Amino acid sequence: MVILQLDIQHFGKLKEKKIALRPGMNVITGANEAGKTTIAEFIKAMFYGADEKATRRFYPLEDDGVFGGMMKVMRDEEFFEIHRNMVPGQESLKVVRTSDNTEVEDPAAWLSEAVAGLDLVTYENTGYINMAELLRDSDVYSTPREKTEEEIREEVIRDQYQRAAARLREKRAEFEANTLGDPDAEITETELQIDELTTEKARLADEIPGAEQAYNKVVDDLKRDSERIDRENKDKDAKMREEIKAAKVELANYVDINERKLHRKNVLGMTFLIVGMLLGLGTYFYICSNKINGSDPYALYVMWGGYGLAIAFALAGLIVAIVTAAKKNHDTKRLAKQEELRNVAEHAESRYQYYLDHKDEMEAKVDHLEARQEKISELGQVLEGLRGEFEGVDKNIGSLLDRRLELTHRSEVKQHSLREMSALDAAIGSFDKLGDPGEDTEAIALGDLASLYLARIDTRKNEIIAIAEDGTVSVLDGTKITQLYSLSTGASREVLLALRLASLERLDSAKLVPLVLDDVLANFDSDRLNSTMTLLRSLKRQVVLFSCQARERRQL
C-alpha cells in the first residue's frame, strides 16, 4: 500500500491541511512544534482510529465538531479514499474506491488487510517509530539485573554461537574467493609490458617528426614544381597560340593583298572594255545622227578613228582580263608562297594539338612526376603506419595502466581478505568450541535479519544481535557479549531501529504497510545518517521520514 495524499480536516493544530506523498522515500522537515508528529499521528489514526490518549492529545481546542480527515492510498493498482470521523461518540469509517466511487462493504476488514493484519500495538513497534518510543524501548528489551552474567551467556551461546560460526564460514568463503590467483605477479608482468610499450612509444615519437618532415618536403617540392610547370605550360600555350594566330594572319594578309591586286587588274580590264564599247556606240550614234556618207573624208576619219579606238580599248580590256585570269590560275610563285604560309599555320596548329594531347605525359616524363607521386604515396603510408602504430601503443599502455590499477586493487583486496580470513578462522574456532548447534527459531531468524540491518545502519561494525528465549537482547562482537541496557544510547538506538525494521520485514513480507519514522535519525552522526538513509531508500516499501533538520532532505 502507498499513501498518496493526506487531507487533514482538523487534527491537533493542523486544519484544512493537504499533503501529497509519493511511492518510495519521502522526507518532511520542519522546526520543532511545526506539526510533524501531528502528521505522523494522523497517519496512524487513519489506520487505527484515535484512542483515548490520541483524542486527549489531538482533539481540537476549538470544538468545531470536526476531528479527522481523508487519506488517499493506492493498493493493488487501485486507488481508495479512507474517510474517518474521530469525534467521540460520532466515530465513523468509510473506504471509497475512486474508480467507480463505490464504498467498500466492510471498511474495517479492508483496512486490517491493508495493514497486513498488524494490531495497533504491533504497528507502533514496527511500522510507526518515533524517537521518544525508541528511547523507551531500552527498558522493554533490557535484562533483569538480578540474572547473572553466566546465565545470560548460557542462554545466548546455546542458540547463537553455532549459527554465528556458520555465518562466519560463509563470510570466509567469500573472502577466500578474493585470494585466488597471484595479482602481484601479474602486476610485475604488466609493469614490464608497460615499460616495453613506453620505450616503443618513445621510439615512434622520435620517428614520426622525421617521417612528417620527409613527407612534407616531397609534397612541398611537388607542389612547387607543379606550379612551375603549370606556369611554363601556360606560357608555352600562349606562345603557341600566338604563333598560330600570327601564321593565320600572315596567310590571310598575303591572300588579301593578291586578291586586291587581281581585283584592280580586273577592274582596269573591264574599264578598257567598257570605254571601247562606249566609243564604238558613240561613233555609231554619231554616224547615224549626222548621216555621214563615204564621200566626206573627215567623216570617214572620224568614223574609222572612233571604231579604231573602240576596238583598241575593247581589245586592251580583253587582254588585261585574259592576262589577269591566267596569272591568277598559273602564278606558281604566288601560289607557292600562299601554300607555304598555309602549311606554316597548319603545322603550328598540329604542334599545338600534339602538345595538348601529350602535355601530361611530357610533364611526367620531364619532371618524373609519376615517380614523385609514388614516393609521396609511399611516404604517406609510412607516416600513417607510424601514427597508427603510435596510437595503438598508446591505447595498449592505457589498457595496461587500467589493468595494473585493477590488479593493485585485487592485491589490496587479497591482502585484506587474508587478514579477514585469519581473524575469521580464530573466531570460527572459538565459536565451534563455545556452543552447540541451536534451533532455527523465530528469535534466531529475527536476530539474523536485525543483524543484517544493523550492519547497514553502522557499516563500521560487524556485530550480531542475539535474542534469547525470554526476549533478552544482547549484542555479540567477536567473542564479547554485551546486554542491550549496557550499550551507549547511540548504539542502543541503532540496535532497536534494526530490530524494529527486522520485525516489520518478518510480519509484513509483502511490504504493504508504509514505514513512518518521526525524528528517529535526529541524533545520528553523518556517517550513520548516510548509511541509514541508503538503507531506507533501498526498502521495497513507502517510507515517510519526519525530521527537524534539513540534512535528511539533502540525502534524497
Side-chain angles (χ1 to χ4, degrees):
M1 180 173 60
V2 176
I3 302 173
L4 300 177
Q5 182 176 330
L6 303 175
D7 188 354
I8 305 174
Q9 296 176 359
H10 207 164
F11 191 87
K13 65 175 67 176
L14 300 179
K15 183 177 181 181
E16 301 298 331
K17 183 75 171 178
K18 292 186 179 182
I19 301 172
L21 300 176
R22 62 184 180 184
M25 189 73 180
N26 297 266
V27 176
I28 300 176
T29 59
N32 292 330
E33 301 300 325
K36 301 185 300 298
T37 301
T38 303
I39 299 172
E41 289 288 337
F42 175 79
I43 295 175
K44 181 174 68 173
M46 291 302 293
F47 285 140
Y48 296 97
D51 57 11
E52 183 180 355
K53 177 182 175 182
T55 302
R56 276 198 319 269
R57 183 177 179 187
F58 296 105
Y59 192 83
L61 296 178
E62 63 277 15
D63 188 0
D64 55 0
V66 179
F67 181 38
M70 183 275 291
M71 183 167 68
K72 186 175 182 179
V73 301
M74 181 178 68
R75 179 186 173 197
D76 298 331
E77 304 299 328
E78 288 191 280
F79 298 96
F80 298 87
E81 291 181 353
I82 304 172
H83 299 264
R84 190 182 284 275
N85 182 8
M86 308 178 201
V87 176
Q90 304 177 18
E91 294 89 346
S92 65
L93 172 63
K94 181 173 65 174
V95 178
V96 178
R97 182 181 289 104
T98 59
S99 61
D100 53 7
N101 201 29
T102 59
E103 293 188 24
V104 175
E105 292 183 0
D106 190 350
W110 183 92
L111 199 55
S112 176
E113 183 181 351
V115 295
L118 302 180
D119 57 25
L120 177 59
V121 175
T122 304
Y123 175 74
E124 289 179 333
N125 282 280
T126 54
Y128 177 83
I129 309 173
N130 64 36
M131 184 174 64
E133 294 296 332
L134 196 59
L135 291 173
R136 288 197 291 271
D137 280 347
S138 60
D139 297 329
V140 176
Y141 290 102
S142 63
T143 303
R145 293 181 181 275
E146 59 269 15
K147 184 175 287 189
T148 65
E149 187 75 23
E150 184 62 29
E151 290 173 334
I152 298 173
R153 180 181 297 276
E154 289 176 359
E155 291 177 357
V156 174
I157 290 178
R158 184 179 63 250
D159 294 329
Q160 301 296 323
Y161 270 123
Q162 193 58 38
R163 177 169 56 88
R167 290 177 58 192
L168 293 179
R169 285 190 176 91
E170 294 178 359
K171 192 68 175 177
R172 187 188 186 284
E174 295 177 6
F175 283 120
E176 188 174 8
N178 294 330
T179 62
L180 300 177
D182 190 359
D184 292 333
E186 293 185 43
I187 289 174
T188 302
E189 181 181 354
T190 302
E191 288 178 344
L192 290 174
Q193 294 177 0
I194 291 174
D195 292 339
E196 292 176 359
L197 290 177
T198 302
T199 303
E200 180 67 12
K201 181 180 177 181
R203 180 187 67 79
L204 292 171
D206 291 338
E207 291 183 5
I208 287 176
E212 289 179 342
Q213 184 177 2
Y215 176 78
N216 292 333
K217 183 178 183 303
V218 175
V219 170
D220 292 341
D221 290 345
L222 179 61
K223 181 179 179 182
R224 185 176 57 254
D225 290 345
S226 297
E227 291 175 352
R228 175 182 56 80
I229 292 172
D230 187 58
R231 289 194 303 270
E232 291 176 355
N233 286 337
K234 288 181 179 179
D235 295 342
K236 188 174 183 179
D237 185 272
K239 183 178 180 181
M240 295 183 75
R241 286 175 177 272
E242 287 295 328
E243 290 179 356
I244 293 172
K245 182 179 179 181
K248 288 183 176 181
V249 169
E250 186 178 1
L251 175 61
N253 291 336
Y254 182 79
V255 171
D256 184 61
I257 291 171
N258 283 285
E259 288 294 331
R260 283 200 299 270
K261 287 180 179 181
L262 292 174
H263 178 69
R264 286 197 299 270
K265 290 180 179 180
N266 286 331
V267 170
L268 179 61
M270 290 298 295
T271 301
F272 284 159
L273 182 59
I274 291 170
V275 170
M277 292 176 65
L278 290 175
L279 286 174
L281 289 173
T283 303
Y284 174 75
F285 283 117
Y286 178 77
I287 294 174
C288 291
S289 61
N290 293 298
K291 299 179 180 180
I292 299 174
N293 52 42
S295 60
D296 187 356
Y298 175 76
L300 291 176
Y301 289 147
V302 172
M303 181 183 66
W304 289 113
Y307 282 133
L309 288 173
I311 294 171
F313 274 103
L315 289 174
L318 289 174
I319 292 171
V320 170
I322 293 171
V323 171
T324 301
K327 190 171 184 181
K328 178 179 180 180
N329 296 321
H330 301 286
D331 190 351
T332 56
K333 183 177 181 182
R334 181 184 61 81
L335 294 176
K337 180 63 175 179
Q338 187 172 321
E339 184 66 22
E340 178 184 354
L341 292 175
R342 185 177 289 107
N343 291 337
V344 169
E346 291 176 355
H347 180 66
E349 287 182 342
S350 63
R351 284 173 54 220
Y352 181 68
Q353 187 60 44
Y354 181 84
Y355 162 75
L356 292 178
D357 294 339
H358 300 82
K359 179 174 67 174
D360 295 337
E361 181 181 346
M362 289 186 292
E363 288 176 0
K365 184 175 181 181
V366 171
D367 292 89
H368 308 287
L369 295 181
E370 292 181 355
R372 295 165 75 177
Q373 289 284 3
E374 293 177 358
K375 183 66 174 178
I376 289 175
S377 177
E378 179 183 349
L379 291 176
Q381 292 176 0
V382 171
L383 180 59
E384 288 301 318
L386 290 174
R387 286 174 176 169
E389 189 177 354
F390 182 86
E391 292 176 359
V393 169
D394 190 57
K395 184 177 180 180
N396 290 336
I397 290 175
S399 300
L400 289 174
L401 290 175
D402 293 339
R403 174 67 175 167
R404 183 176 66 180
L405 184 63
E406 177 187 353
L407 291 172
T408 302
H409 175 68
R410 280 180 50 192
S411 177
E412 294 173 354
V413 171
K414 179 178 180 180
Q415 297 303 321
H416 172 73
S417 299
L418 290 173
R419 291 193 297 269
E420 292 292 333
M421 287 170 59
S422 177
L424 288 172
D425 287 338
I428 291 171
S430 299
F431 285 166
D432 286 339
K433 292 178 183 179
L434 290 171
D436 294 327
E439 299 178 359
D440 188 18
T441 63
E442 176 65 24
I444 295 175
L446 181 60
D448 280 344
L449 187 55
S451 299
L452 294 176
Y453 278 125
L454 180 61
R456 296 186 64 182
I457 291 172
D458 193 343
T459 57
R460 297 167 296 185
K461 298 180 181 179
N462 186 20
E463 299 174 333
I464 298 174
I465 297 177
I467 304 175
E469 293 179 357
D470 62 354
T472 302
V473 177
S474 301
V475 177
L476 282 68
D477 185 3
T479 57
K480 180 182 177 182
I481 302 175
T482 306
Q483 300 175 61
L484 181 61
Y485 69 81
S486 298
L487 296 174
S488 65
T489 301
S492 63
R493 288 178 183 173
E494 295 176 8
V495 174
L496 292 170
L497 179 58
L499 281 168
R500 291 273 185 104
L501 296 175
S503 299
L504 180 61
E505 180 74 14
R506 298 285 296 174
L507 294 172
D508 180 26
S509 59
K511 299 177 177 58
L512 299 176
V513 181
L515 176 61
V516 180
L517 303 171
D518 185 11
D519 263 345
V520 172
L521 309 181
N523 295 314
F524 277 30
D525 59 31
S526 59
D527 291 337
R528 287 185 295 172
L529 173 67
N530 294 340
S531 57
T532 305
M533 289 292 291
T534 302
L535 168 62
L536 294 176
R537 284 196 298 270
S538 68
L539 297 179
K540 304 299 183 181
R541 69 173 71 244
Q542 186 183 32
V543 178
V544 184
L545 173 63
F546 298 89
S547 176
C548 61
Q549 303 181 43
R551 59 178 187 162
E552 283 89 341
R553 181 178 292 277
R554 288 196 295 269
Q555 290 290 325
L556 290 180

